[in-house]
Amino acid sequence: MKNYQTPRGTQDVLPEESYRWQQVETAMRQLCRLYGYDEIRTPIFEDTDVFKRENDSSDMVNKEMYTFSMGEGDSLTLRPEGTAGVIRSFVQHKMYGRSELPVKLWYKGEMFRHERPQKGRYRQFNQFGIENIGLKSPLIDAEVIALGYQLVKNFGLSQIKVLINTLGDAASRSAYRAVLKEHFKDAVEELCPDCKRRYQQNPLRLLDCKVDRDHWSMQHVPSLQDSLTEASKTYFKEVLAALDALKIPYEVDEKLVRGLDYYTDTVFEVVSTHPESGSQSAVFAGGRYDGLVEYFGGPEMSGVGFALGMERLILLAEAEGIILDKKPDCDVYVMALGEVGEVPLELATRCRKAGWITECNLVPRSLKAQFKSVDRRKAKAVVIAGENEIQNHQITIKHILTQRQVTVDLTQLEETLAAMLKEEGE
Ligand code: HAM
């Protein structure tokens, strides 16, 4: 018989793990509320062109997309990231026409990349992301980084570092591309096939290569800084000054170019320095994109954002020993003794209406077995619906820690429990 398993690079979030996921999601929602971001939900698949833009040189677009067709002449792709779909939607719904700019959006959900799976890197993974679209200011870049930074800090991560760089404006980048083409011209034939493609499509991407890291041509690469226009230099300085003002520590990493093609000016990556984070250390990453809104047919408008890997946040929190949410203990356990019919269910329903987490014994079981469940669910109080008592319209309520026990009229269930649940055990 076939041994059914999750596909490679995917994972089940098991019931006991779901609480920490909800914790992350709640923290994200609360923070986005404070910063005035609204949620957007876009489809999990889009027309392939949304992601595969003309002459795109990124690995994600060229090698990692799950693309399929349903035979209707269409080509669809499971989203490998959130930004492109959000900008497609921004343009489609003419959000740029809103009186209040920037438009501030957040999203979360599954992304799909056909990568080689390893710890912290999956084929289906979850991102939380924000996009701030419509205005351009170094202060906005800093505010976007601040939101992500606050999120990971609120979570208790301490071993993190903000790496930041600028790719400059269009003029800076085109000057730098020419410099790189010249620099790599004698080396390109010796580089890996991906680098050969990158050399043609976008020489900036060469700096990302993991295969040829030690090749002689990679040793003394001319710096992008020397190709930056004055405007780009000033812009970047102002981003850094804003981070200083917000007391967000950072390191300028001149080699940081990021794996996606749409970035301009500020790019950043927030990485974990914890030894267990290994090679998949980026917790969240993003940057500014000047041309994307226009590419999708909108006006000339800039945007900036980041995406955070939710699996990575959870893994790193665990590695740092942070205690994450787990299933809450139960407040009340309703036990049934003898022929009491639907009474336990009625009592449990009343408890739930009162707002207590309640478990109830609904199948015939021994007293011993029921007490085991009470133990396992760490119930604070037990309601015992016994046959004789029910005949007298009564129930017994017991506080587990204090062992205090009372028998009361059925109508007094809520008030007795309310008082009892306030009691602290010794
Ligand atoms: P990205 O760097 O490709 O950027 O991904 C952002 C984050 O998603 C990474 O830092 C990492 O935490 C997580 N991540 C990426 N790939 C995987 C994977 N295979 N398994 C687990 N986690 C992963 C973007 O996606 C851009 N859309 C970010 C952005 C938003 N830029 C501007 N706005």
Side-chain angles (χ1 to χ4, degrees):
M1 173 140 156
K2 190 171 166 162
N3 182 12
Y4 293 99
Q5 300 277 321
T6 46
R8 201 160 121 76
T10 69
Q11 47 193 347
D12 295 319
V13 172
L14 296 176
E16 57 273 23
E17 296 158 355
S18 64
Y19 293 92
R20 59 188 75 152
W21 280 85
Q22 288 167 21
Q23 181 185 4
V24 175
E25 288 162 10
T26 305
M28 285 164 6
R29 272 201 190 91
Q30 283 170 347
L31 205 58
C32 285
R33 223 172 115 88
L34 294 183
Y35 278 77
Y37 280 74
D38 302 318
E39 185 180 3
I40 180 162
R41 301 184 187 203
T42 60
I44 280 184
F45 58 86
E46 299 264 2
D47 280 338
T48 299
D49 298 349
V50 169
F51 307 113
K52 196 176 174 68
R53 291 173 300 278
E54 253 164 62
N55 209 24
D56 195 298
S57 67
S58 66
D59 282 357
M60 186 194 83
V61 167
N62 285 288
K63 298 202 288 195
E64 296 166 359
M65 297 210 303
Y66 284 89
T67 295
F68 59 98
S69 164
M70 298 309 287
E72 295 158 9
D74 51 355
S75 173
L76 300 167
T77 292
L78 295 183
R79 63 183 179 198
E81 59 117 23
T83 312
V86 169
I87 303 299
R88 191 266 312 131
S89 174
F90 175 83
V91 173
Q92 180 177 339
H93 299 285
K94 298 192 172 49
M95 289 185 220
Y96 46 79
R98 290 189 183 172
S99 52
E100 194 58 24
L101 289 176
V103 172
K104 298 193 283 184
L105 304 170
W106 73 269
Y107 54 88
K108 68 158 182 67
E110 296 79 2
M111 307 292 157
F112 305 85
R113 297 185 193 176
H114 193 264
E115 298 195 77
R116 195 171 50 76
Q118 64 182 87
K119 192 175 171 196
R121 187 165 72 192
Y122 311 103
R123 290 182 170 171
Q124 176 179 325
F125 59 99
N126 285 269
Q127 279 187 344
F128 155 67
I130 66 166
E131 308 297 343
N132 183 312
I133 319 161
L135 297 179
K136 184 168 182 177
S137 151
L139 296 183
I140 297 181
D141 297 15
E143 189 190 44
V144 162
I145 297 174
L147 190 158
Y149 191 75
Q150 192 174 343
L151 180 66
V152 295
K153 280 286 170 188
N154 284 356
F155 236 78
L157 290 196
S158 59
Q159 303 187 35
I160 52 165
K161 166 160 106 171
V162 180
L163 303 177
I164 188 162
N165 192 21
T166 178
L167 301 180
D169 52 16
S172 313
R173 281 196 322 284
S174 108
Y176 188 48
R177 262 186 229 116
V179 171
L180 288 180
K181 278 221 151 179
E182 182 57 28
H183 173 81
F184 284 106
K185 97 173 172 294
D186 296 330
V188 63
E189 281 313 313
E190 296 168 21
L191 298 178
C192 72
D194 280 334
C195 278
K196 289 196 180 88
R197 172 174 55 78
R198 291 169 180 141
Y199 182 81
Q200 295 306 334
Q201 282 185 317
N202 182 2
L204 239 92
R205 212 27 15 89
L206 287 165
L207 309 184
D208 247 2
C209 184
K210 308 270 184 299
V211 182
D212 290 319
R213 216 186 326 221
D214 297 326
H215 189 268
W216 58 265
S217 62
M218 296 283 182
Q219 302 311 312
H220 301 287
V221 181
S223 165
L224 168 68
Q225 312 308 308
D226 300 331
S227 301
L228 290 179
T229 59
E230 279 312 307
S232 292
K233 280 186 196 158
T234 309
Y235 188 92
F236 190 47
K237 264 191 210 136
E238 287 174 10
V239 175
L240 300 184
L243 291 178
D244 288 334
L246 296 175
K247 302 198 167 44
I248 297 178
Y250 58 82
E251 254 174 51
V252 175
D253 177 354
E254 291 184 5
K255 287 234 160 86
L256 184 72
V257 290
R258 305 271 301 116
L260 301 169
D261 262 9
Y262 46 63
Y263 292 115
T264 54
D265 285 302
T266 318
V267 286
F268 54 88
E269 228 167 71
V270 176
V271 297
S272 166
T273 52
H274 194 280
E276 274 183 42
S277 68
S279 59
Q280 304 308 309
S281 62
V283 197
F284 71 90
R288 182 162 281 286
Y289 40 86
D290 276 353
L292 209 50
V293 175
E294 228 182 330
Y295 183 89
F296 282 108
E300 200 177 309
M301 248 181 195
S302 183
V304 58
F306 72 74
L308 171 140
M310 292 166 67
E311 285 82 0
R312 290 201 192 165
L313 178 64
I314 291 173
L315 275 175
L316 291 170
E318 282 167 353
E320 285 205 28
I322 294 160
I323 304 201
L324 298 172
D325 282 0
K326 53 182 186 14
K327 186 179 173 89
D329 294 340
C330 129
D331 296 311
V332 183
Y333 193 98
V334 182
M335 292 170 66
L337 286 186
E339 296 296 318
V340 285
E342 61 279 4
V343 176
L345 183 56
E346 283 170 3
L347 296 172
T349 306
R350 279 168 61 185
C351 290
R352 289 165 183 154
K353 276 192 184 144
W356 297 309
I357 301 173
T358 307
E359 295 284 359
C360 179
N361 186 78
L362 297 176
V363 291
R365 283 199 309 162
S366 72
L367 194 60
K368 198 171 153 201
Q370 293 189 52
F371 265 115
K372 264 201 180 141
S373 297
V374 172
D375 252 12
R376 261 189 236 120
R377 287 296 284 113
K378 300 197 178 71
K380 295 185 191 82
V382 191
V383 173
I384 304 165
E387 205 171 315
N388 295 340
E389 287 162 318
I390 293 299
Q391 274 164 12
N392 297 326
H393 212 254
Q394 287 189 321
I395 38 167
T396 297
I397 303 181
K398 182 174 179 179
H399 189 277
I400 295 292
L401 274 177
T402 61
Q403 293 284 298
R404 199 169 75 80
Q405 177 170 320
V406 287
T407 300
V408 295
D409 191 81
L410 264 178
T411 53
Q412 290 172 305
L413 171 78
E414 288 87 350
E415 65 185 277
T416 315
L417 266 173
M420 218 176 234
L421 287 170
K422 280 194 199 122
E423 288 174 17
E424 290 294 317
E426 288 299 291

